Amino acid sequence: MYFKQEDIELLLEKIKIEKVVGDLIPLSKSGSNYKGLCPFHNDNTPSFMVSPKKQICKCFSCNSGGNAILFYSKYRKLPYMEAVGELSEKYNIPITPIKDEKEEEFEIYNIIMNDALEFYEKQMFEAESKEALKYLSERGLDTFQIKEFRLGYANSKWSELYDYLHSKGYEDNDLLELGLIKKSDEGNIYDAFRNRIIFPIFSPSERVIAFGGRTMEKANPMKYINSQDTPIFKKGKSIYGIERASNIRNKNYSILMEGYMDVLSANIFDFDTSIAPLGTALTVEQAQLIKRYSSNILLSFDMDKAGKSATERASFILKSQGFNIRVLQFDDAKDPDEYLKKNGREAFLEVVQKSLEIFDFFDKKLNGVDSDYLDKFLDSLLKTKLVEIISNEDEEIYNIFEVLNARGQKLRQMELLKNHVMKYMQPRDEQFIDKAKTTW
């Protein structure tokens, strides 16, 4: 029995996690949350927390938890899809099962990845992880937040994860297929992630599908690595933080950032629609995934030259998919992570309020730039589908044209661009942040 991703998301959206958990274990109110004794270990003091706002539960002793489906699956000792079916019936949320042999084949991969994540989570609080914990503490994460975000640690031993998973009876070929282990030319097997902080990458239904790893070795040039593409993970089609997609849908906007730590910091300050591509330039497939939940987006990339270029590239792709875009700019920080730590939530909200609509951003950037940059900008603009969705009624577009024409740049290309723009009209709503204020 299998269900479409959209139906699983519908179930998670409609179900109340406090009801699912509360029907199985006693809960008591604790502020805006609920707490109770953890059913997954011998708990003497309530360490199991349920957050209706975030729609997650978590034991801060043994790390068990997740969304309503994951909790129910573990509590009832059911396969994930069977738990989906039971919850659908139990709470009268009709969804239709499908026959999918491919999904059935991949189910073992999901189980292995979950076991790997639980292994990494436990390793985070072993003696070998001292430096990793120190690093995360310096980055502003405490033990509570490390557990909440399910961060883990892969120690420096060559095959500890492999030995653990092998002891559970998993096949080497499956572990290789998932990129958890590698095999040398001599046939020796070793763990793919070693001496790295582990960031789990989830599907929209909160099933772990891959890992990112941040090295703890200063001399290692590979600062961050991600899982290889696998049957359940495609890097160019996945988004870090997308398991909180219900927040994006409910608030009707997302905040696109560059890295793992940006997203985690933003969530700590309650900006829970923050997401990031996986260490590469944004792809069309990633944009399409985000748009399933909202077509409104704030770009919050790094403030260096590379970050500004990433903003530009991402905007072309997002506009080609019909997004409404605004750009955040920080005066005294290199990235949103640093800005939040220096200035806090209220200051970040002011940055959001002052964010530039995407064409105002281009207009400002084009003033004072050299002709080589303008050539590259126009070439890239004409190569994208961006112009197919711009309204010819927007003054911002003509402001850019005036700047470029005043500088005598590529007049022939400018005329082509103008003509192209005139052919396509689509309403834009770049003022979506005014509507989003109530959700902050």
Side-chain angles (χ1 to χ4, degrees), residues 396-414:
E396 293 92 340
I397 293 297
Y398 293 106
N399 289 341
I400 294 176
F401 293 155
E402 288 168 10
V403 170
L404 294 171
N405 277 320
R407 296 175 65 81
Q409 299 296 332
K410 294 262 188 178
L411 293 180
R412 181 174 174 278
Q413 287 198 354
M414 284 307 307

Side-chain angles (χ1 to χ4, degrees), residues 135-136 138-141 224 257-269 300-302 330 333-344 348:
Y135 170 82
L136 291 173
E138 289 171 350
R139 296 298 299 266
L141 275 75
Y224 284 95
M257 299 180 166
E258 277 198 43
Y260 300 126
M261 292 307 304
D262 293 321
V263 172
L264 295 183
S265 287
N267 274 274
I268 290 170
F269 284 89
S300 184
F301 289 160
D302 292 359
F330 309 104
K334 67 178 185 297
D335 57 32
D337 174 38
E338 181 180 296
Y339 188 87
L340 280 162
K341 289 183 173 66
K342 277 185 179 180
N343 303 290
F348 191 88

Side-chain angles (χ1 to χ4, degrees), residues 224-356:
Y224 284 95
I225 60 172
N226 290 315
S227 294
Q228 66 190 39
D229 280 4
T230 73
I232 61 172
F233 169 69
K234 297 292 181 287
K235 186 176 178 181
K237 296 182 179 181
S238 303
I239 288 284
Y240 184 67
I242 201 64
E243 68 273 16
R244 292 177 285 275
S246 61
N247 297 332
I248 297 173
R249 179 184 280 122
N250 293 336
K251 296 185 177 182
N252 197 24
Y253 70 94
S254 61
I255 308 176
L256 189 65
M257 299 180 166
E258 277 198 43
Y260 300 126
M261 292 307 304
D262 293 321
V263 172
L264 295 183
S265 287
N267 274 274
I268 290 170
F269 284 89
D270 209 26
F271 294 102
D272 56 4
T273 64
S274 302
I275 51 178
L278 298 170
T280 57
L282 185 75
T283 67
V284 170
E285 291 83 1
Q286 288 172 325
Q288 290 168 345
L289 173 60
I290 299 167
K291 198 180 179 187
R292 282 166 51 182
Y293 309 102
S294 176
S295 59
N296 299 321
I297 196 163
L298 296 164
L299 298 185
S300 184
F301 289 160
D302 292 359
M303 295 307 297
D304 57 11
K305 184 177 180 181
K308 291 177 180 178
S309 295
T311 297
E312 184 180 301
R313 290 193 303 271
S315 70
F316 293 157
I317 289 172
L318 291 165
K319 269 300 176 188
S320 78
Q321 300 302 310
F323 277 81
N324 305 310
I325 310 169
R326 298 188 71 88
V327 182
L328 274 58
Q329 297 183 294
F330 309 104
D331 293 331
D332 61 344
K334 67 178 185 297
D335 57 32
D337 174 38
E338 181 180 296
Y339 188 87
L340 280 162
K341 289 183 173 66
K342 277 185 179 180
N343 303 290
R345 175 179 167 80
E346 292 306 314
F348 191 88
L349 282 174
E350 289 182 19
V351 172
V352 172
Q353 291 279 24
K354 295 176 182 177
S355 61
L356 294 176

Side-chain angles (χ1 to χ4, degrees), residues 40 64-65 69-78 118:
F40 303 117
S64 294
I69 299 171
L70 292 169
F71 170 82
Y72 191 83
S73 172
K74 186 166 186 175
Y75 185 90
R76 300 270 291 141
K77 296 181 173 61
L78 296 173
E118 290 184 355

Side-chain angles (χ1 to χ4, degrees), residues 5 11 29 42 85 149 172 180 187 213-215 217 235 256 288-289 302 312 327 363 368 378-379 420:
Q5 178 67 39
L11 177 66
K29 201 83 165 68
N42 188 17
F149 297 123
D172 288 1
L180 295 172
R214 200 271 186 200
T215 185
E217 300 169 7
K235 186 176 178 181
L256 189 65
Q288 290 168 345
L289 173 60
D302 292 359
E312 184 180 301
V327 182
D363 189 4
L378 286 168
D379 286 342
H420 210 104

